[in-house]
Amino acid sequence: MSRHNSIFEGVDFGTVLLYVLIVLAGWLSITSASFDEDTADIFSFSHFYMKQFVWIGMAWVTALVVLLLDERFYHMFAYPAYIGGILLLVAALLFGREVNGAKAWFEFGSFRVQPVEFAKIATALALARVMSTYSFSINRPGNLVKVAMVICIPLGIIVLQNDTGSGIVLCSFLFVLYREGLNKWLCIPVLLIAALFIISFLLSPMTLLLISIVVCTLSEAMMNGEWKSRIIYLASLALSSILLCIVVNFVSPGAMSLYHSLLTVTLLSLVVVVIYAFRSTLNNIFIILGLFIGTMVFLPTTDYIFNSILKPHQQNRILSFLGIINDPLGTDYNVNQSKIAIGSGGWLGKGFLQGTQIKYGFVPERHTDFIFCTPCEEWGFVGAMVVLSLLCMLILRLMRMGERQEEPFGRIYCYCVAAILLFHVLVNVGMTIGLMPVMGIPLPFMSYGGSSLIAFTILLFIAIRLDASTRQFSLNRI
């Protein structure tokens, strides 16, 4: 018996319902954040909540269009979409309008479009296409280079636009690569680089060296249990520390910088290991020492990255986040007011349209980047947990979608969407409560903005369409 096909056959309505609830919660929050009781015409399209209402309607129409398209369309046009996304990013860099220091917008009258939101979709599609090719293996150097290029090209352009926060979102694809079998020893250095960049502002070079030695020693102990190799390894690291002390104490700073000292000492420490390597197999030791050398090479470059690449406001945000500077009326103002608004909500909140911190404008960007403050103040801890639960359930359903895909393209794409949403939620909520530096990243489906809402809708409903095709095929086999 044949089944009647429709655009809704196989659609995961649980995921659609979560999407609708999150969007409505966002619209209510935007209404609270921008409502003005003194305005005579509350239905005027000059209000943010009325503009967002229009964007919601356009987003839902777009969702229907995405469901109408055949799933093969997204596979066939992944590369053209990626090229188009790159061209849009370049055009925004060259001809776009600068907003909040980022030259990443196109302006059409009173409307603005941010191409980076759509570039995320194109990058996810291209990544899924590359990694779903026949005989692809993520651990082959050639394939790994292809994947790195797909991610790094848009990332580099976005950073040049001075929109570093949006660019860092693409780093969330590391989670997808790990899911697809990327060697953990290739994932760990990326995480270590991010950690080292932060702690390099807090600790002295000597302390960082000692920490690196301890971490590498513990890592080697977990990888290799042979007592001979461990003795040689520990001896090489001990030699590193001894020679470092000699160089730092007796070499003039004008004759040799600390950077050259660290690099030279590290290379000298390899002599013992290289001699021993001719007599035994020490692959694990070379891996760990490679991480150690990379650490020593990277640490001196953090000053250059911080002073030459990051903008002053980005530098101040990092320093403020680490507690190095204290500027309650400047850099810290947004986060301080955000935490006041969240804390004032208590357990059940103050009620709809009753949030004083939000209503009277104490929280800047309260309808965009700091939208999470509104449900916290008006709906309290319970309301905040409801919003976070809806977002978490949506991400978990996307991961489940990925696991039931029969084709690698669909699986990889679903995990890309889950990774992007998870990164946005963690960073946005984290920065509103002071656990993350302020990056200007919107809360998915809730922050005000047409580009963001429509792009996230397309991103999600492509995954729903791919999943619906898999479920249709499964139902038709029964």
Side-chain angles (χ1 to χ4, degrees):
M1 182 177 180
S2 62
R3 297 180 182 271
H4 177 69
N5 292 326
S6 71
I7 63 172
F8 299 113
E9 184 179 1
V11 170
D12 188 340
F13 287 103
T15 302
V16 176
L17 177 61
L18 289 171
Y19 161 78
V20 172
L21 291 176
I22 295 170
V23 169
L24 292 179
W27 184 76
L28 290 175
S29 298
I30 293 170
T31 301
S32 296
S34 58
F35 185 77
D36 187 358
E37 297 176 346
D38 297 329
T39 302
D41 188 3
I42 62 174
F43 296 106
S44 171
F45 284 95
S46 62
H47 301 298
F48 287 121
Y49 57 86
M50 290 303 299
K51 291 180 182 178
Q52 188 72 1
F53 185 79
V54 174
W55 289 122
I56 290 174
M58 294 179 63
W60 288 1
V61 172
T62 303
L64 290 176
V65 174
V66 171
L67 292 178
L68 282 170
L69 295 175
D70 190 274
E71 72 278 359
R72 290 171 292 185
F73 171 85
Y74 303 108
H75 187 277
M76 293 172 55
F77 288 91
Y79 290 150
Y82 180 75
I83 295 173
I86 296 299
L87 293 178
L88 283 176
L89 290 177
V90 173
L93 177 63
L94 297 177
F95 311 109
R97 177 182 174 85
E98 185 173 326
V99 178
N100 294 330
K103 196 175 182 181
W105 296 79
F106 291 127
E107 189 170 21
F108 305 97
S110 59
F111 295 100
R112 295 174 182 169
V113 178
Q114 192 175 16
V116 66
E117 300 295 345
F118 301 95
K120 297 173 188 176
I121 306 172
T123 305
L125 288 170
L127 188 64
R129 178 69 184 274
V130 168
M131 296 178 64
S132 62
T133 55
Y134 179 73
S135 71
F136 178 89
S137 175
I138 189 62
N139 291 310
R140 290 178 183 171
N143 292 334
L144 193 57
V145 170
K146 292 179 183 178
V147 169
M149 290 181 62
V150 169
I151 298 174
C152 291
I153 290 175
L155 173 59
I157 300 174
I158 295 169
V159 171
L160 290 176
Q161 292 176 344
N162 196 26
D163 192 10
T164 309
S166 297
I168 294 176
V169 173
L170 298 181
C171 296
S172 64
F173 290 144
L174 183 65
F175 169 72
V176 182
L177 304 185
Y178 182 76
R179 164 60 184 83
E180 292 301 310
L182 180 64
N183 191 314
K184 63 182 178 180
W185 295 109
L186 295 177
C187 298
I188 289 175
V190 178
L191 300 177
L192 286 178
I193 287 174
L196 285 171
F197 181 79
I198 297 298
I199 64 176
S200 64
F201 296 104
L202 303 175
L203 303 176
S204 65
M206 180 63 71
T207 304
L208 286 173
L209 175 65
L210 295 176
I211 292 177
S212 300
I213 291 175
V214 172
V215 171
C216 290
T217 301
L218 293 176
S219 301
E220 197 278 335
M222 295 172 61
M223 294 178 64
N224 197 332
E226 294 184 11
W227 65 272
K228 291 183 179 180
S229 62
R230 188 168 300 157
I231 290 175
I232 298 299
Y233 178 75
L234 294 174
S236 65
L237 291 182
L239 179 62
S240 298
S241 60
I242 293 172
L243 291 178
L244 179 66
C245 292
I246 295 174
V247 171
V248 171
N249 289 326
F250 294 100
V251 176
S252 171
M256 180 181 292
S257 66
L258 180 60
Y259 166 73
H260 293 109
S261 302
L262 294 174
L263 183 58
T264 302
V265 171
T266 303
L267 293 176
L268 288 175
S269 69
L270 290 177
V271 173
V272 176
V273 178
V274 170
I275 294 175
Y276 188 83
F278 286 103
R279 302 175 56 189
S280 179
T281 303
L282 298 174
N283 292 332
N284 292 340
I285 284 183
F286 280 115
I287 292 174
I288 298 299
L289 284 178
L291 294 177
F292 182 67
I293 293 174
T295 300
M296 293 300 99
V297 172
F298 173 75
L299 284 176
T301 67
T302 57
D303 285 339
Y304 172 79
I305 295 173
F306 184 78
N307 295 315
S308 302
I309 297 180
L310 297 181
K311 301 299 181 181
H313 69 280
Q314 295 170 331
Q315 297 174 4
N316 291 333
R317 287 174 179 175
I318 293 176
L319 295 176
S320 174
F321 169 71
L322 296 175
I324 298 176
I325 63 173
N326 184 23
D327 186 12
L329 297 179
T331 305
D332 298 333
Y333 180 79
N334 289 12
V335 176
N336 289 340
Q337 294 300 320
S338 171
K339 291 191 287 187
I340 292 172
I342 293 173
S344 66
W347 283 99
L348 298 177
K350 301 175 181 177
F352 184 62
L353 297 178
Q354 301 302 314
T356 55
Q357 297 295 120
I358 298 298
K359 179 190 295 186
Y360 298 115
F362 291 105
V363 180
E365 306 296 337
R366 57 191 181 277
H367 59 286
T368 53
D369 296 342
F370 288 86
I371 190 66
F372 186 67
C373 298
T374 302
C376 290
E377 184 179 17
E378 296 191 346
W379 307 340
F381 178 80
V382 174
M385 288 299 100
V386 169
V387 170
L388 290 178
S389 297
L390 292 174
L391 290 166
C392 289
M393 285 190 289
L394 179 61
I395 294 169
L396 290 174
R397 290 188 76 92
L398 281 165
M399 294 173 66
R400 191 177 73 171
M401 280 185 190
E403 291 300 329
R404 68 184 175 211
Q405 297 302 302
E406 298 183 354
E407 297 292 333
F409 179 85
R411 181 184 68 248
I412 295 166
Y413 180 81
C414 287
Y415 268 96
C416 285
V417 179
I420 291 174
L421 295 182
L422 179 61
F423 188 91
H424 270 267
V425 172
L426 289 177
V427 172
N428 183 274
V429 175
M431 72 184 191
T432 60
I433 60 179
L435 294 180
M436 297 286 288
V438 178
M439 296 185 188
I441 292 179
L443 188 61
F445 309 113
M446 292 192 64
S447 292
Y448 170 80
S451 298
S452 173
L453 178 61
I454 293 177
F456 276 122
T457 299
I458 296 173
L459 189 73
L460 174 64
F461 274 83
I462 290 176
I464 293 175
R465 183 66 188 90
L466 295 174
D467 178 66
S469 176
T470 299
R471 299 181 71 184
Q472 287 176 10
F473 181 75
S474 300
L475 289 172
N476 291 331
R477 285 190 305 181
I478 299 175

